[in-house]
Amino acid sequence: MATETQIRHFDPTEVHRFARDVLVGNGVEAEQAEIVAKCLIAADLRGIDTHGVNRIPSYMERIRQGVLDAKAVPTIIQTTPVVAQIDGHNGFGFLAASLGIERGIQMAKEFGIGMVAVKHSNHFGMSAWICQRAIDHDMMSLVFTNSSPAMPVWGGRSKLLGVSPLACGAPAGESRPFILDMAPSIAARGKIYKAKRRGERIPADWALDGEGFPTDDPAKALEGVMLPMGGPKGSALAIMMDVFSGVLSGSAFAGNVTGPYDPSKAADVGHFLVVIKPDLFMLLEEFKDRMDYLYQRVVDSERRPDFDRIYFPGEIEQITEERRKKEGIPYAAGEVETLNKEAEKVGVTLLTARSSE
Ligand SMILES: NC(=O)c1ccc[n+]([C@@H]2O[C@H](COP(=O)([O-])OP(=O)(O)OC[C@H]3O[C@@H](n4cnc5c(N)ncnc54)[C@H](O)[C@@H]3O)[C@@H](O)[C@H]2O)c1
C-alpha cells in the first residue's frame, strides 16, 4: 500500500504525454500544449519540483474558473528594430515568454540585442527554461518577471512584493553554461507548497506566520509572509523586478498581480526579457573560452573545510537534469494522486510510473 510520501520515478516522455493530454483536455490547442508541457517537464528535470507538472492542478483550476484563457495566443508588436512588446491576452505565461525569447533571439542575431516587454501574462514557472532557450542559440539573456504579493517590503509586515525571480544566462564552450535563476526570498514560495504537500517542516527563517512570528509549519507560513533574502537587498531586487516587468511593461504592479492559487481574477503578470549576442566585442570562440576560464576559476577555487565541491550557478540543476533523464522524474504518491484526478476530470490516460517500479 503506497503512502502519501512514497516516491516513484516517471519517464520524462510519459510525464510530457500526461501534461500535454491534460492541457488539451482542458481546451489548450495541441501546439500550445506541447510548449507548456515542455517548460513544465524542464523544471522537473532540473529538480525545480516546485515549478513543474505539480502546478497543473492550479493552472487547470484557473482555466475552469475562467481566469486563465486556455485558447489565448500571445500577440507581438515590433516597437523598434530591437524592441518588441507582447500582449499575453491572459493566456499561459509559458506561451508569452516563449514567443518573447524567440523574438529576442531573432533581434539579437540581427542587431546584437533584443528587448521584449510582456504584459497581461500569467505565471511562467521556472525562469531557467527561458535562459536555456537563449543558450541553445549561443545567446546571453536577462529574464525578469513580477508575481503576486508574498513578501513585505523591508520594514513592512504585510505582503506587497512578489517573490519574483531574477534570472540570467550565458553560454560557455567545454564547461557548463552560466544560469543564475533566483527568487529574492530566502526560499521560493513553491518550496513551502511542496513541503505542505509532502507533510514536511520548513526551516524557521523562511517565513513569518500570520501573527508575524517565525514558523517551521508550511501551512502557517502560507498564512503569513515570506522573508526577503538579505533584508533590504532582497526587498530591493523584488522592487526591481516590478519596475521592469510591471511598471515598464504595462502589466499589473505594486502588489496588484493576482496569485496563482487565487481563482477570483486574471493574474496580469508582466515579464521583461533581454537577449544579447555574446560575440559583439570578440569572436564567439574567444567569449566561450573566457567563460570556460571563469568556470574553472570558480569551481577550482580554494574550498572551505566544510564544502566537498564548488558549483557554478546552474550546475547543480544541470547535474540533476542529466541524472533524471536517465533515472526518471521522482514524484510522491500523493502528488501523483492529485495529478491523476486532473486526468480523470478530462478522461485522459493516467500518469504511470516506470514499469520497473
Ligand atoms: N515564476 C515565478 O513567479 C517564480 C517565483 C519564485 C520562484 N520561481 C522559480 O523557483 C525556482 C527556485 O528559485 P530559488 O531562488 O529557490 O532557487 P535556489 O535558491 O535553489 O537557487 C538559486 C540560484 O543559486 C544557484 N545555486 C544554488 N545552490 C548553489 C550552490 N551550492 N553553488 C552554486 N550555485 C548554487 C542555483 O543554480 C540558482 O541559479 C527558480 O527556478 C525560479 O525561477 C518562479
Side-chain angles (χ1 to χ4, degrees):
M1 179 73 190
T3 61
E4 272 274 288
T5 52
Q6 190 180 340
I7 301 287
R8 299 182 81 189
H9 290 79
F10 295 76
D11 269 325
T13 47
E14 162 64 356
V15 183
H16 184 102
R17 190 275 314 152
F18 166 84
R20 188 200 52 219
D21 286 359
V22 171
L23 287 158
V24 170
N26 281 279
V28 182
E29 296 297 337
E31 196 185 329
Q32 261 112 35
E34 283 288 340
I35 297 171
V36 177
K38 202 169 145 197
C39 300
L40 292 171
I41 276 80
D44 282 337
L45 282 172
R46 287 173 63 87
I48 310 297
D49 304 333
T50 48
H51 290 72
V53 297
N54 278 310
R55 292 276 179 148
I56 284 179
S58 71
Y59 294 147
M60 297 310 103
E61 186 61 15
R62 293 188 70 70
I63 292 175
R64 286 191 286 270
Q65 301 275 346
V67 285
L68 192 160
D69 185 353
K71 298 255 182 258
V73 177
T75 51
I76 192 160
I77 296 170
Q78 193 68 42
T79 312
T80 81
V82 294
V83 180
Q85 186 184 25
I86 289 179
D87 187 329
H89 298 295
N90 193 29
F92 280 98
F94 302 98
L95 302 177
S98 188
L99 178 63
I101 195 69
E102 291 301 334
R103 181 59 65 92
I105 291 166
Q106 222 180 341
M107 291 187 284
K109 277 186 181 164
E110 198 172 348
F111 300 107
I113 191 162
M115 193 176 100
V116 183
V118 183
K119 64 179 176 181
H120 309 326
S121 185
N122 277 282
H123 194 250
F124 65 35
M126 169 191 78
S127 304
W129 70 262
I130 307 171
C131 300
Q132 185 61 54
R133 192 82 72 86
I135 288 168
D136 292 343
H137 290 264
D138 278 335
M139 294 285 168
M140 302 167 81
S141 61
L142 294 175
V143 175
F144 300 167
T145 185
N146 65 4
S147 56
S148 56
M151 285 196 312
V153 293
W154 183 240
R157 61 160 295 179
S158 60
K159 294 176 190 177
L160 178 67
L161 302 173
V163 178
S164 309
L166 175 164
C168 140
E174 299 299 314
S175 57
R176 296 183 195 279
F178 168 82
I179 301 184
L180 167 66
D181 177 11
M182 49 157 273
S185 57
I186 293 180
R189 192 163 48 151
K191 285 186 182 159
I192 300 189
Y193 284 110
K194 178 179 160 189
K196 185 167 169 245
R197 274 198 315 273
R198 296 190 173 182
E200 294 165 357
R201 313 303 286 181
I202 56 166
D205 60 352
W206 281 12
L208 303 177
D209 65 16
E211 309 297 316
F213 294 109
T215 180
D216 66 355
D217 179 340
K220 287 192 176 158
L222 290 169
E223 287 164 13
V225 289
M226 304 292 303
L227 289 172
M229 59 163 212
K233 300 182 197 180
S235 166
L237 283 176
I239 296 171
M240 175 184 162
M241 294 303 99
D242 216 16
V243 170
F244 286 86
S245 311
V247 178
L248 177 66
S249 74
S251 226
F253 64 101
N256 294 311
V257 172
T258 310
Y261 295 95
D262 171 359
S264 67
K265 61 180 189 329
D268 201 12
V269 177
H271 320 303
F272 181 76
L273 316 173
V274 180
V275 184
I276 300 165
K277 195 168 181 272
D279 44 335
L280 291 174
F281 312 112
M282 64 189 74
L283 292 174
L284 182 61
E285 297 329 305
E286 191 184 348
F287 174 86
K288 288 185 168 183
D289 285 348
R290 289 163 71 87
M291 284 301 295
D292 288 349
Y293 178 69
L294 175 63
Y295 170 89
Q296 221 53 56
R297 290 282 291 166
V298 169
V299 301
D300 288 345
S301 106
E302 197 180 358
R303 267 183 287 123
R304 280 165 41 162
D306 54 340
F307 270 60
D308 294 333
R309 177 172 171 180
I310 292 172
Y311 295 95
F312 205 53
E315 188 167 24
I316 292 177
E317 291 83 356
Q318 289 157 41
I319 293 170
T320 303
E321 177 169 352
E322 286 156 17
R323 194 181 63 246
R324 288 188 172 186
K325 276 184 171 161
K326 286 194 223 115
E327 295 175 358
I329 303 171
Y331 298 114
E335 291 168 342
V336 177
E337 201 182 311
T338 304
L339 289 173
N340 277 335
K341 281 188 189 139
E342 291 298 326
E344 280 162 9
K345 277 183 192 147
V346 290
V348 300
T349 310
L350 302 186
L351 179 62
T352 313
R354 291 190 150 188
S355 50
S356 55
E357 302 206 9

